[in-house]
Amino acid sequence: MTKLSGPMLAPANGEAPDSAVVLLHGYGSDGNDLIALAPHWRHLLPGAVFVAPHAPIGTEMGGFQWFPIDWAGDRVASRQTGILAARPVLEQFLRDLWSQTGIVPERTILAGFSQGAMMALHVGVGIDEPLMGIIGFSGAFLPPEDFGKEGRARPPVCLVHGDLDSVVDPNLSSEANSMLKEAGYDVAYHVSRGVAHGISPDGLAFASDFIARLAQK
């Protein structure tokens, strides 16, 4: 199986990590993009290691992708099949991270942007281990097969989306908010007004407040 790697930032307190924040980039980018979120959050989780793996598949335009997109055909269908194919790679990365560092899933935040947000939501909700939290910027939620099953872990979820996003429909985050809440998840949902496909200051602040709440538990 493909092994993921990418930039990493050690805990701010200089000690062995007691938690982890895994950052998943969007289509055509790489881990160097999302690791830039770490300086905004290190003070909230001073014992956390931040890791931003490069997605496993290269693109013709450079950068990486978690799964190919059928731009000329059915993008929704390619998203569904692509996420299922990419899921085992990300799951193995998480389990390797936990085994190598001793960090437990309950002290792990899975965050992503766009295609990375789709991966974070699908995998974070679908794995057996209960995560500390999941953050999805400008993404969509494709429920795993056993979504909503009684007895499954339900980590807190943060959803942020710009209302002028022309790349990933903002309504997809609204739908995710509804689906997750109906299934019993604690969801923090924020719409960034006047924002296209990106992470705005207010969206970043909303996610930071979410992390701050998790850190206090």
Side-chain angles (χ1 to χ4, degrees):
M1 182 179 292
T2 302
K3 292 285 186 179
L4 303 180
S5 63
M8 177 181 297
L9 197 60
N13 62 14
E15 301 177 4
D18 61 15
S19 53
V21 180
V22 179
L23 303 161
L24 309 177
H25 66 79
Y27 178 89
S29 186
D30 61 34
N32 294 304
D33 182 18
L34 264 282
I35 199 68
L37 291 174
H40 297 280
W41 294 342
R42 291 181 83 199
H43 68 287
L44 300 173
L45 293 168
V49 58
F50 288 79
V51 291
H54 307 309
I57 306 171
T59 72
E60 294 181 358
M61 303 298 291
F64 299 90
Q65 59 188 331
W66 294 98
F67 51 86
I69 298 174
D70 183 3
W71 297 106
D74 190 337
R75 281 191 279 177
V76 174
S78 66
R79 184 188 301 158
Q80 292 171 333
T81 57
I83 282 181
L84 292 177
R87 174 177 172 173
V89 179
L90 179 56
E91 285 188 359
Q92 189 59 53
F93 174 82
L94 292 171
R95 295 200 170 95
D96 288 345
L97 174 68
W98 294 330
S99 66
Q100 292 166 10
T101 63
I103 296 168
V104 296
E106 293 90 341
R107 293 289 299 168
T108 302
I109 294 174
L110 193 55
F113 171 74
S114 192
Q115 195 180 70
M118 299 174 196
M119 291 300 303
L121 290 165
H122 179 81
V123 172
V125 166
I127 60 175
D128 293 329
E129 296 85 352
L131 298 180
M132 185 178 185
I134 306 168
I135 302 173
F137 292 103
S138 307
F141 177 48
L142 284 84
E145 188 174 340
D146 57 355
F147 174 65
K149 183 178 178 181
E150 187 175 349
R152 290 204 63 85
R154 285 170 167 75
V157 178
C158 175
L159 300 172
V160 178
H161 214 130
D163 66 345
L164 299 183
D165 193 337
S166 61
V167 177
V168 179
D169 189 342
N171 289 321
L172 293 173
S173 280
S174 177
E175 293 169 5
N177 177 47
S178 298
M179 278 192 289
L180 289 163
K181 282 184 174 177
E182 288 173 6
Y185 286 78
D186 179 10
V187 184
Y189 172 50
H190 176 75
V191 176
S192 294
R193 303 296 176 186
V195 174
H197 193 60
I199 301 175
S200 61
D202 64 294
L204 179 59
F206 186 83
S208 299
D209 289 342
F210 175 76
I211 293 176
R213 292 195 298 273
L214 295 181
Q216 293 170 359
K217 293 183 178 180

